[in-house]
Amino acid sequence: MLHGPVVRRRKLGEELRSLRHTAGLTSREAARLLGWHQSKVSRIETGASGVKPFDVARLLDAYAVRDSRLRSLLEVLAGSAGSGGAGWWHAYRELIPPQYRDFISLESQACTVRTLETSVVPGLLQTAGYARAVTSASLGGLSEDRLDSLVEVRLTRQRVLRTDPPLRFAAVLDEAVLHREVGGPEVMRDQVRHLARVSQLPHVCLQLLPFSVGGYVGLTGSFVIFSFPNISDLDVVVLDHLTRSLHLERKEDLDAYSSAFRALQAHALSPERSLDLITEIARS
């Protein structure tokens, strides 16, 4: 079990090694083309050291990789794997802990996110009022300025649902999420109405697990599965705990959580029936 940047650095190295083999080059030949020492190529491919996005681009040029989406993914991946690159969240580096920055970087690179939420509305679907109430309740003792900034981060994350192409987002929510009055009745009413609207987006699949389901896989803890374009074995499961996040990237873990999510979807209400229940709760 490794921390996210380490996992992605290793996966990046594996992908670069595979592309080098496809290009028919040895590590010595690749290093000669770039004017590097062979050990640098070896360290990158084993994940022993990070690599800057610019150097990834040079490697991909040497390997004649023309796929623009693959190139973009690998270059962004290099930036988030501890080599010094940064996304928009870098501006908040003094505000948010490394594990949250890492979560955001995963979210920004993913093409698909699947999540089970048992307690709160997923961050990507939260209104400003709900996000403020959740953040205030879960962290406590925050100054108004710090609270404002954390809510701003939460709302900025939601841009991934408006990009082209947008993130494909599938969420299974325990019905209890919609009955817990986070922030009070008005905040909750706005939040539930927002869920009804966003659930109708073509790239969002929202399903509810009604109380009648009883116990289910995942009842004791939420999880998120990130999937990425072109590199399937880069997928990762993230489990959040009070003081840390765990990143699971072994095939056995990914298979287990993917299977669990399919089972949850099968037991949950259909998206259409979920929308009906959300609308009913909003009215009440």
Side-chain angles (χ1 to χ4, degrees):
M1 189 179 302
L2 300 173
H3 190 259
V6 177
V7 172
R8 294 198 301 288
R9 190 164 64 229
R10 194 179 71 185
K11 294 294 188 183
L12 173 62
E14 292 172 354
E15 185 67 15
L16 290 172
R17 181 170 60 248
S18 175
L19 291 170
R20 175 174 59 76
H21 288 162
T22 299
L25 296 171
T26 65
S27 59
R28 185 182 300 277
E29 290 168 337
R32 188 182 306 120
L33 284 172
L34 297 172
W36 296 350
H37 193 281
Q38 182 182 1
S39 63
K40 179 173 180 177
V41 175
S42 298
R43 289 196 305 273
I44 291 171
E45 292 184 352
T46 59
S49 65
V51 54
K52 295 179 180 179
F54 174 74
D55 285 338
V56 168
R58 292 186 65 197
L59 285 167
L60 297 178
D61 287 340
Y63 303 158
V65 176
R66 303 287 178 248
D67 185 327
S68 60
R69 185 159 188 177
L70 176 58
R71 290 180 66 99
S72 177
L73 173 65
L74 293 178
E75 289 168 25
V76 173
L77 183 60
S80 66
S83 62
W88 61 263
W89 53 91
H90 184 68
Y92 299 92
R93 62 191 179 279
E94 301 301 327
L95 175 71
I96 57 180
Q99 289 184 332
Y100 189 24
R101 295 199 300 268
D102 185 50
F103 185 93
I104 296 172
S105 74
L106 283 170
E107 191 174 71
S108 71
Q109 299 159 34
C111 63
T112 302
V113 168
R114 292 166 286 169
T115 183
L116 166 70
E117 283 291 354
T118 61
S119 302
V120 297
V121 172
L124 293 183
L125 306 183
Q126 292 178 6
T127 63
Y130 187 94
R132 188 177 188 84
V134 166
T135 303
S136 178
S138 59
L139 295 181
L142 295 173
S143 68
E144 285 299 309
D145 286 346
R146 187 175 178 85
L147 182 56
D148 288 343
S149 296
L150 287 172
V151 171
E152 183 178 340
V153 170
R154 182 69 53 87
L155 298 181
T156 304
R157 282 174 48 199
Q158 297 175 5
R159 290 176 184 172
V160 294
L161 296 177
R162 302 190 296 272
T163 55
D164 185 19
L167 175 74
R168 295 194 299 275
F169 186 73
V172 175
L173 272 61
D174 191 306
E175 184 182 348
V177 170
L178 303 188
H179 291 281
R180 179 172 291 106
E181 285 196 354
V182 175
E186 286 299 322
V187 167
M188 204 62 209
R189 187 177 298 112
D190 289 343
Q191 177 62 72
V192 176
R193 288 172 177 167
H194 178 67
L195 283 178
R197 291 191 296 270
V198 76
S199 69
Q200 298 177 69
L201 294 173
H203 52 283
V204 173
C205 178
L206 181 59
Q207 294 178 257
L208 296 183
L209 280 164
F211 291 135
S212 58
V213 167
Y216 56 84
V217 174
L219 178 63
T220 58
S222 303
F223 61 83
V224 183
I225 307 172
F226 293 101
S227 297
F228 301 85
N230 298 302
I231 313 177
S232 61
D233 64 355
L234 187 63
D235 293 1
V236 60
V237 177
V238 177
L239 308 178
D240 265 336
H241 297 279
L242 184 61
T243 58
R244 60 175 178 160
S245 295
L246 300 179
H247 292 71
L248 310 179
E249 47 86 32
R250 295 187 312 158
K251 185 177 185 304
E252 305 93 297
D253 295 322
L254 291 165
D255 288 346
Y257 278 89
S258 294
S259 177
F261 191 78
R262 288 192 296 270
L264 289 165
Q265 287 186 306
H267 285 92
L269 299 177
S270 68
E272 294 76 19
R273 291 183 61 198
S274 295
L275 176 57
D276 289 340
L277 180 55
I278 291 171
T279 303
E280 179 184 332
I281 292 172
R283 289 172 180 163
S284 65

